[in-house]
Structure formats: structure tokens, C-alpha cells
Amino acid sequence: MAAGMTVGLVTVFWVGVLAPETGSDAVGHRLVIPALMVRSGALEARPEILQSYSTLAGEMLTAGLFPLAGTQSLRALEFGLALVLMAAPVLGLGFSGRPGLALLTMLPFWASTVVWWQLFAGFVDLIQLWFAVGTVVALTRWMKSPGAWEWAALAGFLAGTASATKLNGTIVLLLVALWVGLYGWGVRFRRGRVTAEGGALFSQSASGL
């Protein structure tokens, strides 16, 4: 049942990707900025586009697809990231030992018309969600793998990029700080492991930002 519902949702998403872009955010700046990036070959702030002075991680990712997908780049990007998130439980990246059940519990979220609106109206919130979920997965792997500083660094980079997608993504960094603090308190920072890996995490957060 979960597989059939997933196929149905993916089909709906794909039809939406093929539709013309009409969202006010997309037409106003989410696609305009990547198009200008590709044309000029540079990331530039433009006085006539106020948003070009703000966080642009989503626009930079969109610019990478622009030569292939054109004005459908933003939807294509979010479609691809949505597929990764939907496949995460099946790939063993979720928090349940039962992939089918994990997938089934995620379906109400993806079936929500609010999510469809985000996907089809030219917003970058689903891109930010992808980085936030990736942060949680990386932090979980770090906690399960003592000494695996690369997971801490990856979590920091993803959290920083979530913040660089939209300013409200800074909450991800705050939650990471709380998570690491509580975890460090629980293990009492034995042998400096959490301190060192926490440093890697937050240095990579700066890189993401």
C-alpha cells in the first residue's frame, strides 16, 4: 500500500514539475537570480532585486541546473530532493527498523496540499527541509559512531546551509547546539571527543553559512 501511494504522489509531483512556473516568488526572484548568475557567470548583488542581498543557497543550487532545465530548474531541484527524502526510510536512513512503516508514516506529510503548494509555487522551503533532515541524520550517525568526526562536520555543514537557504533556518543551528550540548553533558565530554567533534561541527556550520 505504501509503495502504491508513493508512486501516485511521485506522479503528481512530476506533472507539477512539467507545468509552467507561475509562483510569485519564483517569477520575482527565485528563478531570476539563478538566471542572472548563469548569464553573468558570477554571484552579484543587484540593487533592483532586494532578495539578492539575502540568503542564496537555494538559488545557487538552482543555478547549477539552469543550463539543463531552464525555468523548471527550481521545481526539478525540489522534485529530486523530495525523492531522496521519500526514499530515505527504504535506504535505511530513517529512524525505524521497518522501512515500510517509516515510509507509510511519512506519506501524510507528502500528501499535504501545503507541501504541494511549496513544491509548485517556487518556494525554497523544501530545499531547506532537505538540509534540516540531513542534519538530523548526520547527527544521529555521529552519536552512534564514536570518533566519527566526519559525521559531525557534515551535520554542521548541512545546518549552516539550511540557514543559508532562508534566514529562519538558523533555528536548525540552535537545535544542533542544544543537541550537542545535551549529548556532551550526557557523556561528560570524556577524552575531549565531543569537544573536538563539536568544533568540527560548528566550523563546518560557518562554511555552510
Side-chain angles (χ1 to χ4, degrees), residues 31 62 65-74:
L31 285 174
T62 302
L65 286 178
F66 222 88
L68 296 175
T71 57
Q72 305 304 112
S73 298
L74 180 56

Side-chain angles (χ1 to χ4, degrees), residues 10-202:
V10 170
T11 302
V12 171
F13 292 166
W14 178 244
V15 171
V17 169
L18 298 177
E21 187 64 80
T22 58
S24 58
D25 267 33
V27 176
H29 63 279
R30 297 296 185 192
L31 285 174
V32 175
I33 294 174
L36 292 173
M37 286 183 193
V38 173
R39 188 175 70 178
S40 65
L43 174 59
E44 300 174 334
R46 295 176 176 268
E48 70 274 18
I49 305 177
L50 178 63
Q51 292 82 357
S52 66
Y53 292 89
S54 187
T55 51
L56 295 174
E59 285 79 357
M60 293 178 70
L61 290 172
T62 302
L65 286 178
F66 222 88
L68 296 175
T71 57
Q72 305 304 112
S73 298
L74 180 56
R75 290 188 181 185
L77 173 63
E78 294 196 310
F79 175 73
L81 296 180
L83 289 183
V84 174
L85 287 175
M86 294 174 76
V90 180
L91 297 175
L93 298 177
F95 305 98
S96 171
R98 301 171 63 184
L101 179 60
L103 180 60
L104 187 61
T105 57
M106 289 177 62
L107 286 177
F109 171 80
W110 292 109
S112 167
T113 52
V114 174
V115 173
W116 295 12
W117 177 53
Q118 292 287 334
L119 180 62
F120 301 150
F123 298 112
V124 295
D125 300 80
L126 291 181
I127 299 175
Q128 185 185 61
L129 172 67
W130 192 88
F131 288 116
V133 172
T135 300
V136 173
V137 172
L139 279 176
T140 304
R141 293 301 180 96
W142 170 50
M143 294 172 65
K144 292 180 179 179
S145 305
W149 64 267
E150 62 274 13
W151 284 112
L154 178 61
F157 180 78
L158 293 173
T161 308
S163 303
T165 302
K166 285 186 73 174
L167 288 177
N168 60 5
T170 307
I171 188 64
V172 179
L173 282 176
L174 297 177
L175 292 175
V176 165
L178 178 62
W179 189 329
V180 173
L182 292 175
Y183 177 58
W185 178 264
V187 300
R188 299 184 184 280
F189 294 92
R190 55 176 177 271
R191 299 179 183 176
R193 194 188 80 217
V194 175
T195 302
E197 293 169 12
L201 189 154
F202 287 108

